[in-house]
């Protein structure tokens, strides 16, 4: 500020990992994969919001694996039934 006794400056110092990530995001590979991401996100959203995959309904790893398998199975059956119609 004008007339202040002290002046402060801020500089952003990026780590090596951050710089590498920025360079990777500019690559053609990343840009191609980013264009395909919406398809995957739509499927994940359907699993989470329509089939209860967002919250575990039972405790333990086996219960979670079973819940995931059933949700994915349900979605696949729905897609097969759409193709048959």
């Amino acid at each position: 500020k004008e007339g202040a006794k002290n002046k402060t400056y801020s500089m952003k110092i990026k780590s090596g990992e951050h710089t590498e990530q920025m360079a990777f995001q500019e690559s053609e590979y990343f840009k191609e994969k980013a264009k395909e991401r919406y398809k995957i996100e739509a499927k994940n959203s359907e699993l989470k919001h329509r089939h209860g995959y967002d919250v575990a309904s039972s405790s333990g790893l086996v219960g979670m694996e079973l819940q995931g398998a059933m949700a994915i199975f349900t979605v696949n059956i729905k897609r097969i039934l759409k193709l048959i119609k």
Side-chain angles (χ1 to χ4, degrees):
K1 294 182 178 181
E2 293 294 324
K5 294 180 182 178
N6 298 325
K7 293 184 180 184
T8 58
Y9 299 94
S10 62
M11 290 178 46
K12 293 183 180 181
I13 301 174
K14 296 182 176 24
S15 67
E17 291 86 8
H18 191 96
T19 306
E20 288 175 23
Q21 181 64 28
M22 287 174 52
F24 174 66
Q25 288 180 353
E26 295 299 320
S27 71
E28 287 301 317
Y29 175 78
F30 180 85
K31 290 177 182 178
E32 287 297 317
K33 292 297 178 184
K35 290 178 185 176
E36 302 293 319
R37 185 173 177 92
Y38 76 94
K39 297 175 191 174
I40 298 166
E41 291 299 328
K43 292 175 185 175
N44 288 343
S45 176
E46 181 184 1
L47 281 169
K48 286 171 61 177
H49 298 292
R50 295 188 188 157
H51 300 286
Y53 199 55
D54 57 338
V55 177
S57 59
S58 62
S59 61
L61 187 57
V62 174
M64 291 173 62
E65 287 176 351
L66 184 60
Q67 180 183 352
M70 292 301 294
I72 293 167
F73 178 76
T74 303
V75 170
N76 287 335
I77 292 296
K78 282 174 58 177
R79 289 206 174 94
I80 291 170
L81 291 176
K82 265 188 194 177
L83 290 174
I84 292 173
K85 288 182 180 180

